[in-house]
Structures are given as structure tokens and as C-alpha cells.
Amino acid sequence: MQPLAEVDITDLSHDGRGVARIQDKAVFVAGALPGERARIRIVRRHRSFDEAKVETLLTRSADRIEPRCPHFGSCGGCALQHLPADKQIAAKQRVLAENFERIGKVTPQHWLEPLSDAPWGYRRKGRLSVKWVEKKGKVLVGFREDDPRFVADLRVCYTLLPQVGERIEALAALIGGLEAKRDIAQIEIAADDHTVALVFRHLVPLQDGDRDRLIAFGREHGLAILLQPKGPDSVHMLDPPTIDLKFGIPAANVELAFRPLDFIQVNAGMNQRMIAQALALLDPQPQHRVLDLFCGLGNFTLPIARLAGAVTGVEGEAGLVARAADNARMNGIDNAAFHAADLSLDQRGAAWARADYDALLLDPPRSGAAAVLDYLPGKRTRRVVYVSCHPGSLARDAGLLVERHGFELLRAGVMDMFPHTAHVESIALFER
């Protein structure tokens, strides 16, 4: 066992851990806050840094609060419940600012006010791991621990929608009573404005008795139950016979239909605020042509179409592109066109990439949009709004937009899409 050490916590890392130093080597301490002194134990050693956990807090930060969740510290789903919500968002803004300065060598001319919404019960999409533990004689249902080999033994989750988060124990008992309890791998959660659906991934065919138990559970708790015996295309209804998942964007008079495994923004309230912020920054006008890259189901595309002359959405997953086009038709929108294209590859030969656009919206995955920025935005594009789920890739791409394409970084700010986690969602406006 590693010996104990006493350290002063001087900073908060990008993933929500306290930062200390032992003989000039960085140590990342789970659960520690700046200004605290702690007795710690090293749990993993690396060449340039070590990882540790707190054994004893010797002094406490004035900012420290009692976490709401009894599983905080063991479950890997949250990292910041020991900080008040306003301190969490301030820490995320510091992470974004440091990334802009260190990676992109840029600074926004103006910082936007952080966007936040309800801090609890916000997760409408998620994946719970399931594991039968022979030694314990029970099923574990939860997120992974900090060590991803293990599933956290949860009783409740306050970040999930209450229809699921308050039924973790009931789900574990349900699966523990199935013949296939050793062969349920995960539960995918997907909720729209009215329905909460659970997709059970099972590795063996289910017996009739197991199917009946799942149906009874769904009816008792008002949940739609789906099964996934193989890959994503194998998902199908168990009970009720059909569901029609949709969520609204009232400010744009838009409704988006989606399938249970489709990507949608996790936090419904924050999604509404984010769309409003993006539209305000993009400021699409009736004479404008807009390009929306990484468009998914049309979360931004269709609200933009209500204001712009024309909008083109491009997405790598063909199924999402088809559903985005269907959503446009369902909403009576005829000035939106959609294309399927792998945006990690050079697409400059595509007709949509050669067209002229007044404005560009980017909402890429964690890897960012560097490949796209080799050939876009075009000379006519005067405004870019960048929605990011990773501050490092945003900062890198901000440097490219400024140095290579002649834009200025006018505004930037963070959006608390995932309260109590270290996840940093942000938005930035570039103009030239």
C-alpha cells in the first residue's frame, strides 16, 4: 500500500480533481478543493503526474458543501457535487479561459454570462451499466466507478430524470429476478417531453417469463420498454407496441422526432437556452444562407430555417440525416436541405461545401472541427458560431479561425449542460 502524504491543494483540474504537487510532480486528488490541506494516498503513478484520493481532510475550503448524493466519491457519474452550482460554473469558465490562452493563444473580447438550468433531474439520455455480481448475489445498476472496470452500486441518482433515478433499486431487483440476469449488459435511457423509454441490452434471447416481468415493470412505473438483442438496428418495442418520441423547441415552433438510441442533448432545459443563445449570436436574416455542420437531427438547423433564407445541414450518420429531413417535412420547413458526409474527411469537392454561405454553425463531437477548417469557412462567410463539448478542441479550432481565416473571437462562454460533472459545454462567436 502506498504511504500517506500531506499536501496543499492549489487548483482545480479540468476533470474536477484538486491539484497538488509533491517534489514538483503534479498530483490530481479526487474530491479535494483549492485551499484545502489533505492527507492523501497515491492510487496510480504515471511518468508526469500521479493520481490520489483523500484519506483525511485537514482543512476544509469555505466553498465545500455536503454532496446531495450518498454515492458521491464512489460513482464516476459526478465530480463536483461538493461545490455549489455557481462555483461549479465559474470553475468551468476558468477551464475554458485557460484552454483559449494555452492552446489557441486567443482571448474573447467579451465573456458571455454562463448559461444554466435546473441542476437536478436533468438527464433525459444516459446509459446505465448492469452487472450480476456472483459474490454479492445481486445485480448492480449504475454508472461506472472512477475505475471503469467496476459498476457503482447505486440506490438512487439525482441527476437522472426522477422516473429513472428514483427507481435504481427497483431496476436492480427487476433484473435480479430475471432468468437472464447474467446477460443484461446495460440500460439505455431516452426521454422526450412525455415518455421515458428504457432499452434493455440482452446478450441471450429472453424467455417469455422475463419478457412478462419487464412488461409488468414498465406498466407499473409508466415506462416504455424496448429490447436490444444485438446492434443498434436490433432495437424494438416490447411494451407498448409503438412509441413516438418527440421533443419541442417552442421558441422556434419546431418539434423533433427521434429514435431511442439517437443522439439528443442530455439536458432538455439547457438545450432550449443553448438554441436561443446560438440563434442570438448567429443572427440569421431572411437574405442569409447558413451552413450547419454536425447537424444531427436538426436541433439547430430547423430553428435557423425559421429565420434564414436557406440552411444546409451536414451530418456523418446517414440515419440522423434522414430523420432531420423527415423533421423538416413534419414541421412544414422547405428551406432546409440535408446531406450525409463524414466531416473528418476532406469534403471540399462536395457541392454543399463549394456553395457560398453568410454564416456557419459548428457543433462537432469532442474531437472538434479541425478537418473542416482546412477548407471552410468560405470567403463570403462573415460569422461563425461554434458550440463545443470539449474546451481543448474549441481552443485549438479558435486559433485556426483567427490565424488562418482572419476571424476575431468576439464572445465566448460556458453552458452547464451537465451540472455536477466536470463536463464543459461552451459557445463562441467569431466574426470577420
Side-chain angles (χ1 to χ4, degrees):
M1 182 176 289
Q2 296 286 349
L4 300 178
E6 288 188 12
V7 297
D8 293 309
I9 308 300
T10 58
D11 202 356
L12 201 64
S13 71
H14 72 280
D15 59 3
R17 293 183 291 180
V19 181
R21 301 196 78 84
I22 298 177
Q23 297 178 345
D24 288 330
K25 188 178 185 182
V27 183
F28 298 106
V29 186
L33 296 174
E36 295 183 332
R37 184 167 180 81
R39 187 173 293 117
I40 65 169
R41 189 180 302 279
I42 304 295
V43 294
R44 296 182 193 87
R45 292 193 181 275
H46 307 272
R47 176 171 293 184
S48 58
F49 67 92
D50 291 334
E51 299 176 79
K53 65 177 183 179
V54 174
E55 291 287 333
T56 308
L57 269 182
L58 303 175
T59 60
R60 295 169 63 91
S61 167
D63 292 334
R64 179 178 285 275
I65 61 173
E66 193 65 27
R68 180 182 179 186
C69 178
H71 310 295
F72 181 73
S74 59
C75 173
C78 291
L80 295 173
Q81 281 195 30
H82 54 327
L83 264 181
D86 61 327
K87 301 292 184 181
Q88 292 182 29
I89 197 75
K92 294 177 183 186
Q93 188 112 323
R94 286 196 300 274
V95 168
L96 180 60
E98 290 165 2
N99 276 267
F100 275 141
E101 181 178 351
R102 178 173 54 87
I103 299 173
K105 306 295 190 290
V106 293
T107 302
Q109 295 181 15
H110 174 76
W111 283 103
L112 298 166
E113 283 295 315
L115 289 184
S116 58
D117 200 72
W120 301 105
Y122 64 85
R123 284 182 185 252
R124 63 176 175 177
K125 278 283 286 182
R127 178 178 295 169
L128 293 171
S129 296
V130 178
K131 187 172 185 179
W132 165 259
V133 181
E134 200 74 47
K135 289 182 179 179
K136 295 184 177 182
K138 64 182 291 189
V139 167
L140 303 184
V141 175
F143 296 108
R144 295 283 171 173
E145 295 184 357
D146 288 334
D147 185 337
R149 295 175 301 169
F150 301 105
V151 177
D153 187 359
L154 300 190
R155 300 190 305 278
V156 66
C157 175
Y158 295 115
T159 63
L160 287 170
L161 292 177
Q163 296 96 316
V164 181
E166 294 176 0
R167 296 189 171 107
I168 301 293
E169 285 185 299
L171 279 167
L174 165 70
I175 297 170
L178 299 180
E179 292 292 328
K181 59 178 175 282
R182 293 173 176 81
D183 299 295
I184 305 293
Q186 65 190 37
I187 304 169
E188 194 89 19
I189 304 157
D192 68 0
D193 295 338
H194 307 288
T195 303
V196 179
L198 301 181
V199 183
F200 288 80
R201 174 74 174 99
H202 55 99
L203 306 178
V204 299
L206 296 183
Q207 302 297 318
D208 288 344
D210 283 357
R211 296 166 69 91
D212 291 342
R213 292 182 185 92
L214 289 170
I215 290 170
F217 182 88
R219 292 179 179 178
E220 178 185 356
H221 297 289
L223 302 167
I225 306 296
L226 297 90
L227 301 179
Q228 183 187 352
K230 295 183 179 178
D233 292 339
S234 71
V235 172
H236 61 278
M237 292 301 310
L238 179 62
D239 188 72
T242 61
I243 55 170
D244 190 14
L245 296 176
K246 296 177 182 176
F247 67 88
I249 305 171
N253 190 26
V254 162
E255 195 170 49
L256 296 182
F258 66 99
R259 294 182 182 177
L261 298 192
D262 284 346
F263 172 82
I264 62 170
Q265 295 291 347
V266 161
N267 189 323
M270 267 305 307
N271 188 47
Q272 304 289 339
R273 293 173 179 264
M274 178 177 69
I275 291 169
Q277 178 87 289
L279 290 177
L281 295 175
L282 196 67
D283 193 26
Q285 299 297 315
Q287 70 273 21
H288 288 168
R289 290 172 54 87
V290 179
L291 178 62
D292 177 14
L293 297 183
F294 311 94
C295 70
L297 292 162
N299 192 53
F300 292 107
T301 327
L302 300 189
I304 292 170
R306 294 292 195 203
L307 302 170
V311 59
T312 298
V314 184
E315 162 65 39
E317 188 177 332
L320 290 178
V321 172
R323 287 189 279 288
D326 288 342
N327 282 325
R329 286 188 288 272
M330 181 178 71
N331 285 277
I333 291 172
D334 60 7
N335 62 335
F338 294 93
H339 302 274
D342 184 346
L343 294 173
S344 68
L345 304 177
D346 190 334
Q347 299 288 344
R348 74 185 76 204
W352 62 262
R354 297 196 305 271
D356 289 326
Y357 301 97
D358 300 283
L360 169 64
L361 188 138
L362 295 164
D363 184 16
R366 290 176 60 85
S367 54
V372 168
L373 297 180
D374 278 343
Y375 53 94
L376 290 172
K379 292 182 179 180
R380 177 174 156 181
T381 304
R382 294 286 176 262
R383 180 169 294 184
V384 174
V385 170
Y386 195 129
V387 177
S388 168
C389 61
H390 190 273
S393 57
L394 170 59
R396 178 202 65 209
D397 294 348
L400 294 175
L401 283 165
V402 170
E403 293 300 322
R404 183 181 299 173
H405 294 285
F407 283 84
E408 292 182 277
L409 175 54
L410 295 189
R411 294 178 174 84
V414 292
M415 305 178 290
D416 208 6
M417 185 66 71
F418 293 83
H420 311 298
T421 79
H423 181 94
V424 180
E425 193 95 7
S426 52
I427 192 167
L429 170 65
F430 301 84
E431 287 187 358
R432 64 181 175 189

